[in-house]
């Protein structure tokens, strides 16, 4: 079981380190001068994934997940964190990096190792699942008509969530915000 933790840990720590140091992702100056059609999906994906803060976020997450896998107390948390990272990489590789099927097989193998870790800790996983799913009741009981108002409430929440951004734009660009608001009202009233 220790090897099933150390292999993906070392691999993903090295992948994360490569992203943080610029050894992974990005294009050369000659490649940047080419048209999108000439680059192909693989190089285009590497260019897009090389943008910050995406590259640093993914690299940092890979390092953290790998480090968590190394210690017994945090191995399960590391596996839980690493699963979506590895699955996402697999989907990206299947979609864009069609020229390297060996990498796809390696990622499938690492995902299998993650599930082996889950199986090893299945007792704890089951206990956590039961804790999260059993005995949950709503804090408040709602009448049936309240569920009919959910679409209106969702729109209200969406508007409430946009208010800080609107306040920021109004403070930063008051004339443009006013003009946009008037244009929106005219469009709605037509």
């Amino acid at each position: 079981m220790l090897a099933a933790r150390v292999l993906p840990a070392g691999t993903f720590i090295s992948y994360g380190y490569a992203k943080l140091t610029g050894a992974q992702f990005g294009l050369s100056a000659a490649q940047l001068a080419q048209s999108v059609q000439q680059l192909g999906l693989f190089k285009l994906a590497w260019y897009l994934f090389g943008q910050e803060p995406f590259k640093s976020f993914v690299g940092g997450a890979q390092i953290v997940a790998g480090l968590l896998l190394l210690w017994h107390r945090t191995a399960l948390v590391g596996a839980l964190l690493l699963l979506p990272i590895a699955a996402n990489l697999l989907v990206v590789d299947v979609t864009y990096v069609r020229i390297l099927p060996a990498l796809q097989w390696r990622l499938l193998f690492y995902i299998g190792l993650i599930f082996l870790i889950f199986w090893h800790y299945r007792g704890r996983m089951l206990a956590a699942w039961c804790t999260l799913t059993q005995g949950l009741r709503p804090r408040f009981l709602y009448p049936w008509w309240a569920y009919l108002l959910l679409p209106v409430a969702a729109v209200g929440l969406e508007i409430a969530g946009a208010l800080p951004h609107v306040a920021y734009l109004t403070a930063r660009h008051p004339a443009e915000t006013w003009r946009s608001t008037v244009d929106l009202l005219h469009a709605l009233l037509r």
Side-chain angles (χ1 to χ4, degrees):
M1 183 50 56
L2 184 59
R5 290 180 11 219
V6 171
L7 176 62
T11 301
F12 282 93
I13 288 170
S14 68
Y15 285 169
Y17 181 77
K19 286 173 183 66
L20 293 180
T21 58
Q24 202 175 46
F25 294 153
L27 298 177
S28 67
Q31 291 169 329
L32 285 172
Q34 294 177 350
S35 71
V36 172
Q37 287 179 327
Q38 291 174 319
L39 284 177
L41 286 177
F42 172 66
K43 292 295 182 183
L44 184 60
W46 270 59
Y47 171 74
L48 293 174
F49 295 145
Q51 303 304 305
E52 291 293 351
F54 182 82
K55 179 173 72 170
S56 293
F57 177 78
V58 172
Q62 287 176 331
I63 290 172
V64 168
L67 289 173
L68 288 171
L69 273 178
L70 293 176
W71 284 273
H72 178 68
R73 289 178 168 232
T74 59
L76 186 56
V77 175
L80 287 168
L81 182 59
L82 192 57
L83 180 61
I85 294 170
N88 190 16
L89 285 172
L90 179 62
V91 170
V92 166
D93 285 353
V94 167
T95 305
Y96 299 111
V97 191
R98 298 178 184 157
I99 59 174
L100 297 173
L103 182 59
Q104 297 164 12
W105 283 107
R106 281 182 63 206
L107 284 169
L108 279 171
F109 179 68
Y110 296 146
I111 290 170
L113 291 177
I114 292 168
F115 279 106
L116 183 64
I117 294 167
F118 291 160
W119 179 255
H120 181 74
Y121 293 105
R122 65 188 173 277
R124 292 181 183 209
M125 298 271 298
L126 185 59
W129 179 259
C130 290
T131 301
L132 291 172
T133 59
Q134 291 179 354
L136 291 179
R137 287 178 292 233
R139 191 168 183 186
F140 305 106
L141 296 176
Y142 300 102
W144 65 269
W145 54 266
Y147 292 96
L148 297 175
L149 296 176
L150 283 177
V152 174
V155 170
L157 280 173
E158 189 71 34
I159 290 170
L163 289 178
H165 185 65
V166 170
Y168 167 77
L169 289 177
T170 302
R172 181 101 191 224
H173 310 286
E176 291 176 30
T177 305
W178 177 252
R179 210 171 316 117
S180 297
T181 305
V182 169
D183 291 344
L184 179 63
L185 289 174
H186 284 296
L188 291 175
L189 295 174
R190 284 187 194 167

